[in-house]
Amino acid sequence: MTTAARLMPFPEERVLEDAAFGQGIVPTRLYALLLPVWQVEIRADITEGEDFFLIDRFLERGLRHGALHTADELAAFFALDGALVAQAVRFLTAIGHVWESGGRLSLTALGQRSVDDDIRYVVTRQDRRKLYFEALSCAPLTRTHYDQEVVTLLSPDELAAVTRGDRYPRFSPIHVASGFDRTALERLKDRKDRARFNLPVALDAVESLDERLVFLPVYLVRGREGLLVYGQAGAGAEHDPELSALCARTPELISALDNEEQGEESDERVLRAARNWLREQHLDSVAPEQDADGTWSVSLPATAFGEDGIPVSRIGTYRMAGNRFFRVWCPAETPRKHALLDRLDKRLGSRRQATRGEAADLVARLARQLRLAVPDLSQLRAGAGRTGLKGLEAQLAGLEDEHV
């Protein structure tokens, strides 16, 4: 298994396809990068929001709006068992929602806020947890980056194993010269979209206990229209809008990419890779071509594809050559139609039942990729039946019935 396969859940070719045919940019380079991330362990007073237990909601609303002031009054008003109410009051007192003075119960400020917002706020003093900030501007990472089953954050000691070897794309670490900006912790208090960044309702008395640098594997696609960053956390090969915007506005990173591109061997690496690949396919008579947008492709006859040749699913796809790439193409329309069905079958034929909208979006994207008119579901179902793609045929038939 290659380094890229171990670090990323999808191949770089899928990223290029999304950038070109999903996001509408003309990709010119793909970089495998290790973005620096600050892993910061903090100690703070944490306010979390939870759903109310039903009885707690009633009791607190009774104290807030019902002019009720004792456990007996609460039990009588709501027709509840007195022992049950007393137990609930003890719990609400323990979490700081209720206080008693002279036999009378009142809501604390925390309790009042909980009733008003219909959220049970709970404060944990001196809580310890880890927060993640990208190290280029010390902005917090979104919640998806906290899923350790999906996201790999590499320590500096692990970088050597990842960056060793000659396979492409080779993951390159981006280094930072300055330490963690602790004012980033204070800026968290002003965020409105806190849940999206895995932040509690409130952070008070924040103290940084440990700050260490780790590295997040990403693919960065550079194109004429800008750049897109693809991380591990997306559902499939989907770009990360926050990381894309961050990298686009980071002069140091853009300068590093510019310097690397100026040092490249122009188009020679792409041409060598394309010629070597054509030689392996016994297609020495075919020459790589540069398309109008400046990218490279190899245009192959229909006879090059099939059971004894190149799989039709390769039509319209990319092959990597360092940070560059070339595209496999076939000018004949029939193989491209077969390629659409084949790729659609791989994405839909063995999956859960897709929605009509999901299938339509995928078909439109594949049609753009293969330069075909967008077929309707009945045409696709007939084509799947003729080519023996029974799983896809059943999926499409189900979608047609759903529409009726």
Side-chain angles (χ1 to χ4, degrees):
M1 182 180 292
T2 68
T3 296
R6 283 188 282 113
L7 291 182
M8 301 298 285
F10 38 79
E12 54 270 27
E13 292 89 347
R14 284 272 302 278
V15 169
L16 289 170
E17 291 174 17
D18 181 78
F21 310 108
Q23 309 306 319
I25 76 169
V26 178
T28 57
R29 303 286 195 283
L30 182 145
Y31 299 95
L33 301 177
L34 296 166
L35 290 184
V37 171
W38 285 112
Q39 176 183 281
V40 182
E41 184 178 4
I42 65 165
R43 181 164 56 205
D45 295 339
I46 302 294
T47 303
E48 301 275 16
E50 305 170 347
D51 291 334
F52 267 109
F53 294 137
L54 184 60
I55 187 173
D56 296 342
R57 176 185 284 113
F58 282 125
L59 297 182
E60 292 201 18
R61 288 178 64 85
L63 293 171
R64 179 76 165 141
H65 302 297
L68 305 173
H69 299 290
T70 67
D72 290 340
E73 289 174 354
L74 290 167
F77 183 84
F78 291 111
L80 295 171
D81 177 73
L84 179 63
V85 171
Q87 181 181 4
V89 167
R90 287 194 296 271
F91 171 74
L92 295 174
T93 301
I95 64 172
H97 281 217
V98 173
W99 67 287
E100 182 179 358
S101 177
R104 291 172 65 84
L105 301 176
S106 300
L107 287 180
T108 64
L110 183 65
Q112 291 175 15
R113 183 185 172 197
S114 296
V115 172
D116 294 344
D117 295 346
D118 197 27
I119 299 173
R120 189 178 74 186
Y121 295 118
V122 178
V123 176
T124 303
R125 306 291 181 188
Q126 299 290 286
D127 179 88
R128 294 174 67 142
R129 61 179 60 194
K130 291 178 181 177
L131 299 178
Y132 295 103
F133 300 80
E134 49 75 18
L136 299 176
S137 68
C138 285
L141 293 183
T142 53
R143 178 182 291 274
T144 54
H145 294 92
Y146 287 77
D147 187 348
Q148 296 181 358
E149 294 185 359
V150 175
V151 176
T152 303
L153 291 169
L154 303 172
S155 70
D157 292 340
E158 295 172 304
L159 288 186
V162 171
T163 56
R164 187 186 304 124
D166 297 326
R167 292 186 179 276
Y168 285 91
R170 182 181 298 153
F171 280 83
S172 302
I174 303 299
H175 296 289
V176 292
S178 57
F180 176 65
D181 178 6
R182 293 190 177 183
T183 63
L185 295 173
E186 292 299 316
R187 293 196 295 269
L188 296 179
K189 298 179 180 179
D190 299 326
R191 298 207 71 100
K192 304 302 181 185
D193 49 354
R194 310 177 69 81
R196 190 158 175 267
F197 290 89
N198 204 45
L199 299 173
V201 173
L203 278 166
D204 297 295
V206 182
E207 177 187 2
S208 175
L209 301 178
D210 183 59
E211 301 154 5
R212 62 184 61 190
L213 209 55
V214 293
F215 292 85
L216 174 69
V218 300
Y219 287 137
L220 185 149
V221 177
R222 202 168 191 192
R224 305 183 189 282
E225 304 80 0
L227 61 83
L228 297 171
V229 174
Y230 293 76
Q232 300 169 315
E238 298 176 1
H239 78 286
D240 186 312
E242 282 79 18
L243 290 181
S244 298
L246 158 73
C247 290
R249 63 175 184 262
T250 304
E252 301 90 339
L253 177 59
I254 300 301
S255 177
L257 297 181
D258 288 342
N259 289 338
E260 183 166 342
E261 289 172 14
Q262 290 172 5
E264 286 184 352
E265 302 173 16
S266 185
D267 296 314
E268 285 305 313
R269 182 190 293 275
V270 182
L271 289 171
R272 284 199 303 270
R275 288 167 182 152
N276 288 339
W277 183 79
L278 288 167
R279 192 176 303 114
E280 292 170 359
Q281 312 306 317
H282 307 292
L283 295 167
D284 306 64
S285 60
V286 177
E289 303 172 358
Q290 191 165 30
D291 299 332
D293 59 12
T295 58
W296 288 89
S297 65
V298 291
S299 185
L300 306 179
T303 53
F305 300 93
E307 291 184 5
D308 298 325
I310 302 167
V312 292
S313 60
R314 294 297 305 176
I315 300 176
T317 63
Y318 294 91
R319 292 194 64 85
M320 298 302 302
N323 294 328
R324 303 283 297 279
F325 38 83
F326 62 91
R327 195 171 175 211
V328 179
W329 189 244
C330 179
E333 187 174 81
T334 297
R336 284 186 277 131
K337 289 181 176 179
H338 289 161
L340 188 150
L341 287 170
D342 188 86
R343 300 197 74 183
L344 193 62
D345 179 57
K346 287 181 170 62
R347 298 288 292 275
L348 293 182
S350 60
R351 287 179 48 193
R352 62 168 177 81
Q353 181 70 37
T355 67
R356 188 180 179 88
E358 290 172 339
D361 289 345
L362 179 56
V363 169
R365 176 168 154 172
L366 290 173
R368 286 195 299 274
Q369 183 172 351
L370 294 163
R371 299 177 193 167
L372 296 169
V374 179
D376 60 33
L377 291 182
S378 61
Q379 291 174 309
L380 288 169
R381 181 172 60 81
R386 287 194 299 270
T387 53
L389 301 174
K390 299 302 182 183
L392 178 61
E393 183 182 21
Q395 277 265 36
L396 296 170
L399 293 175
E400 284 189 290
D401 293 342
E402 174 187 311
H403 183 60
V404 175

